[in-house]
Amino acid sequence: GALKVVNAVDGFVPIVHSSAGCSIQSKLSDNLLGGSNGAHYRGWLETSATAVFEKQIVFGGTARLREQIKNTVKVQQADLYVVLTGCAPEIVGDDVPAMVKEAQDQGFPVITTSTPGFKGNVYKGYEWAVKAIIERISYPDLDHKTQKGLVNIFGVIPNQDLFWEGTLAELRKTLAALGLKANTLVGFNQTKANWQTIPNAELNLVVSPWGLEAARQLEKKFGIPYLYLGYLPVGAADTSEFLDIIGEKLSVSKDIIEAVKNKKEKFLTYQLQKLAQSYTNYDFQKEVALVGETSNVVGISRFLQNSFGQLVTTVIITDNPDEELRQHIKDLVHTNDSYPTEIIFTSDGKEIDEWLLKSKPEIILGSSLEQSVADKLSAQLIKISTPTFEKAILIQTYTGYTGAIELLQDFSEAIFGQLHIDKK
């Protein structure tokens, strides 16, 4: 998770202090399990790593880290070097901060954060890396003057969220329509300068549980308020409500908000009308199950159930959000009393398969890992989560008004595919 953050910023270079397997495993997951997403910014094995062996584990690997920092600075030019620690150095207690301080004293822009796999998952890694960069990066503007309309966005995890770049682009476009500026921090054209302008923001927008800690940190450190949306809005109802909320917080003219909403809602309604005849003729209402991360499945399930008339039977949330947030997430996944939705929190593949087989959905929105269950149920599978093997995602998203249209197209394709199976 930490590697995904650092690799998604131009001018940031990670230095992994661990065994060689950590970096290789990360590359394998990015390039083989995430469609086309893993190829951004780095080549196959360009990640700098100490690649510690038994000697360093027995006698300590600080000298090896000192050597690796010096070598990395020589061959990879960067605006910021981020030392990320793996399991072995953490277990033996290498004094990583001392080595980083030594490099800083020599004038190198190096920071570190503790990221061993035994302490958490990919989502925690994202959280730790973001917090560490915020805490330890240099801020040249000591006055931190608030830039009106500037919004930092937290909670979209690069290369873990299948649609991360498309989602950030859509959020940027949506906020721009209100005269606001999104600081996405990761992705295309995002550099150290974007992170250094974080304190100047008027608001921090949090779109998943994994941006909350950073937002709380910034509220305490710089006094920046935050809006915890907790999920990515999909379609007219939720996106328009989002515009109302953020517009009120940032004192955007109601006339501007209404003008944007009317224009976008009208266009989305027009697209829905084009589907109306097919919806009726081919019985578009299906029993649906979703599997994936909080930020995506909540918004998609709300749109499918509340705006597109689908029967959402099961929502399986795989990113293991904190217990204190789970009731809020359940409340967001609106359930119809006459047709209740089962909401499950698990990342266990066997449990996920069992729940899907029990609920027998006609359409599954999930990852490639759900393909075998979909085949058993003769159900259609729409890819919304990692890992996804068969589909290249470049700039696609289901977020916002435009994203809802993408979702309608993919959902309609799945329904027609199901009709073809039924005829057979």
Side-chain angles (χ1 to χ4, degrees):
L3 268 172
K4 291 175 189 295
V5 175
V6 178
N7 280 331
V9 184
D10 280 347
F12 283 14
V13 167
I15 301 173
V16 178
H17 182 38
S18 191
S19 60
C22 291
S23 302
I24 293 173
Q25 186 173 356
S26 176
K27 282 298 177 184
L28 285 171
S29 68
D30 279 352
N31 285 276
L32 299 181
L33 302 185
S36 65
N37 292 327
H40 296 349
Y41 307 110
R42 301 285 182 267
W44 174 238
L45 288 175
E46 287 182 22
T47 300
S48 172
T50 54
V52 295
F53 288 97
E54 185 177 348
K55 175 184 175 182
Q56 286 83 26
I57 294 170
V58 173
F59 298 105
T62 50
R64 177 72 191 90
L65 176 58
R66 177 192 289 119
E67 177 188 9
Q68 190 63 28
I69 292 173
K70 289 180 178 179
N71 290 340
T72 304
V73 168
K74 287 179 183 177
V75 300
Q76 287 188 293
Q77 187 175 358
D79 299 316
L80 185 71
Y81 300 90
V82 185
V83 177
L84 306 173
T85 54
C87 297
E90 288 279 353
I91 291 171
V92 301
D94 281 354
D95 192 352
V96 176
M99 294 299 96
V100 169
K101 177 67 165 57
E102 186 178 293
Q104 291 171 345
D105 291 342
Q106 295 173 31
F108 300 126
V110 185
I111 65 171
T112 185
T113 184
S114 173
T115 55
F118 60 77
K119 283 175 60 177
N121 55 21
V122 63
Y123 309 101
K124 284 293 184 182
Y126 165 86
E127 194 175 79
W128 296 330
V130 169
K131 288 181 65 179
I133 296 169
I134 289 171
E135 187 65 35
R136 294 160 190 162
I137 201 172
S138 60
Y139 295 104
D141 181 5
L142 298 180
D143 293 332
H144 305 310
K145 294 179 180 177
T146 300
Q147 183 179 334
K148 186 168 177 55
L150 181 64
V151 179
N152 299 320
I153 297 177
F154 295 101
V156 178
I157 304 179
N159 289 327
Q160 179 64 26
D161 182 329
L162 197 63
F163 305 116
W164 71 282
E165 286 219 87
T167 293
L168 290 175
E170 183 64 23
L171 289 172
R172 188 185 300 116
K173 185 171 65 174
T174 301
L175 292 177
L178 297 184
L180 307 174
K181 182 180 179 182
N183 190 17
T184 63
L185 303 175
V186 293
F188 181 69
N189 267 349
Q190 299 300 288
T191 65
K192 184 179 181 180
N194 294 93
W195 291 79
Q196 290 176 320
T197 58
I198 283 176
N200 302 334
E202 194 174 2
L203 182 72
N204 291 320
L205 173 62
V206 183
V207 296
S208 84
W210 310 106
L212 259 178
E213 284 299 313
R216 289 168 178 162
Q217 176 191 22
L218 287 167
E219 185 176 52
K220 184 178 180 180
K221 187 177 179 70
F222 298 114
I224 307 171
Y226 67 87
L227 169 60
Y228 176 57
L229 198 62
Y231 71 101
L232 294 161
V234 179
D238 283 352
T239 308
S240 293
E241 183 182 13
F242 162 63
L243 293 183
D244 286 335
I245 295 170
I246 200 165
E248 182 179 355
K249 282 190 171 290
L250 297 179
S251 302
V252 178
S253 163
K254 289 187 177 180
D255 290 340
I256 292 175
I257 297 171
E258 289 304 315
V260 172
K261 285 164 53 179
N262 290 338
K263 180 181 177 182
K264 297 291 187 180
E265 288 175 6
K266 186 176 180 180
F267 183 67
L268 181 52
T269 300
Y270 170 72
Q271 301 300 330
L272 281 165
Q273 287 172 343
K274 289 158 67 175
L275 269 179
Q277 193 66 45
S278 294
Y279 193 104
T280 305
N281 290 348
Y282 299 105
D283 186 19
F284 265 37
Q285 189 176 67
K286 303 295 179 184
E287 293 190 344
V288 178
L290 295 95
V291 182
E293 298 156 341
T294 307
S295 56
N296 279 316
V297 299
V298 170
I300 293 171
S301 66
R302 284 168 62 91
F303 172 75
L304 291 177
Q305 187 159 244
N306 302 336
S307 299
F308 199 47
Q310 301 306 307
L311 304 174
V312 179
T313 63
T314 311
V315 173
I316 302 174
I317 294 171
T318 60
D319 53 340
N320 195 30
D322 294 341
E323 288 289 340
E324 65 189 58
L325 299 174
R326 293 191 179 189
Q327 187 56 53
H328 176 248
I329 293 168
K330 288 180 178 180
D331 293 340
L332 286 173
V333 181
H334 174 71
T335 57
N336 188 326
D337 292 337
S338 61
Y339 204 94
T341 302
E342 195 82 52
I343 303 169
I344 302 105
F345 296 90
T346 182
S347 58
D348 185 286
K350 184 180 178 182
E351 284 186 34
I352 292 170
D353 289 353
E354 288 173 351
W355 277 107
L356 292 175
L357 290 169
K358 178 183 175 183
S359 62
K360 296 183 173 64
E362 296 168 278
I363 295 179
I364 300 171
L365 292 91
S367 72
S368 291
L369 299 180
E370 284 68 63
Q371 187 65 63
S372 61
V373 174
D375 292 341
K376 288 178 184 177
L377 296 171
S378 296
Q380 291 292 295
L381 177 64
I382 301 173
K383 308 294 173 52
I384 65 166
S385 312
T386 53
T388 288
F389 303 118
E390 307 88 356
K391 186 175 182 180
I393 305 294
L394 300 178
I395 199 73
Q396 186 181 3
T397 185
Y398 291 154
T399 298
Y401 301 101
T402 305
I405 297 171
E406 290 273 355
L407 176 56
L408 289 172
Q409 291 178 152
D410 289 349
F411 199 87
S412 301
E413 183 181 4
I415 288 176
F416 287 126
Q418 187 66 42
L419 287 171
H420 181 67
I421 290 174
D422 293 341
K423 284 180 181 179
K424 283 185 175 181

